Amino acid sequence: MPKLHGARLMLTLRRWIQTLATFLSNAYWLFPFNRNIYQGNLKSICVPGLNCYSCPAATGACPLGALQNFMASLRPGIKADQHHFGLYVIGFLGLTGSLVGRMPCAWVCPFGFFQELMNKIPSPKFEIPKFATYVKYIFLALFIFILPFLVVDEFGYGITWFCQFVCPAGTLEAGIPMLVLKPELKGLIGLLFYNKLVILIVFLGWMVVSRRPFCRVACPLGAIYSLFNKHSVFRMSHDTEKCTRCQSCYQNCPMGVKIYEGANQHDCIRCLKCMQESCKFDAISYEMDGPDMATGKDRKASL
Amino acid sequence: MNANKKTPFGLIVLFLILLLLGINSGEVAVVLNKATKICLSCMGLG
């Protein structure tokens, strides 16, 4: 009973934090009146989750959009003696990853939250093959770093490839709302927009039948954080002696991670559902910088 | 302190330095400048 109570508490807490983070990332509610995006100083701060900064309500900067812009303007910047390598964004993402790994995906990413809600729609569910979960690293390398830097116009400027050709969050949070707010933009709708609309529709359908497909297959931000999963201060821990491989953790995991095949895998987002809701054998715990902070007995006692 | 414990702190120091270097070189203003303009490419419009 104490564990069940604790599980419900944790789930409620996570939902509240996800909701709060979504509202804080999109707290500019004057946009219906002035028909424009927020342009205040808060936009200089990167948000830890995926949230398009052209969303009319967005109050912060999307780290992926910012990073691509740095890569796209790196060459002309160097020529003009302005050495902006995107260290501000890389430092922010690296610092966050070093502390908690992929935890922001589970707790503060609005698009991750949206996918979890979509997956609650009753439907047959399908698993995503493991090899597909490595595609996000191709998106990260190609669309965030290589193409924006290498494919440039006559002035040396690249484009934000992931934003322009892929990002369904941008279409959902910025493209569609801005077209409603600024009908004059409708004249710009072309093949590019339809391409992004198709990608959005594919992901919307996929979210219903699979667990967090965008996070697992395509999200470059999750790919960056995942590189830190094994070396962050906060890590998951799995006790192979207590584990019975009942697969309860896997069935409950929003990312389809089999923690019994290794703690801190690249898709583990540290939502703690496996520890709090699934495992009946206290085989899963978390650790901070080495020593166990919440192993079976202590965790039960504290809940 | 073993290597496993040292790694996260080494990473924290490294990325904190990068963050401060970025702030010091004026990248915060660059981010602000981009983020306050409507990004047509983000919407698939340009």
Side-chain angles (χ1 to χ4, degrees), chain A residues 111-128 200-214 216 254:
Chain A
F111 202 59
F113 182 33
F114 176 68
Q115 288 175 83
E116 282 186 16
L117 297 179
M118 288 290 284
N119 194 246
K120 289 193 177 299
I121 296 172
S123 77
K125 304 294 180 192
F126 301 95
E127 194 42 81
I128 296 171
L200 173 64
I201 291 167
V202 167
F203 273 110
L204 286 176
W206 201 358
M207 286 169 202
V208 177
V209 297
S210 295
R211 295 175 270 191
R212 282 184 172 238
F214 179 77
R216 292 164 75 185

Side-chain angles (χ1 to χ4, degrees), chain A residues 44-48 61-72 74 83-99 101 140-141 144-146 149 220-221 223-228, chain B residues 10-23 25 27-28 30-31:
Chain A
S44 61
I45 300 168
C46 290
V47 292
C62 171
L64 280 185
L67 200 50
Q68 285 170 86
N69 274 311
F70 278 116
M71 292 299 120
L74 199 53
H83 299 96
H84 293 146
F85 298 100
L87 299 181
Y88 169 53
V89 185
I90 293 169
F92 168 77
L93 294 176
L95 196 57
T96 308
S98 306
L99 287 169
L140 171 63
I144 304 297
F145 290 102
I146 296 172
F149 177 68
L221 188 57
I224 293 172
Y225 288 140
S226 75
L227 299 174
F228 296 90
Chain B
L11 289 172
I12 287 169
V13 171
L14 170 71
F15 285 106
L16 192 59
I17 290 169
L18 292 182
L19 179 76
L20 294 174
L21 283 174
I23 292 171
S25 66
E27 291 187 359
V28 176
V30 179
V31 170

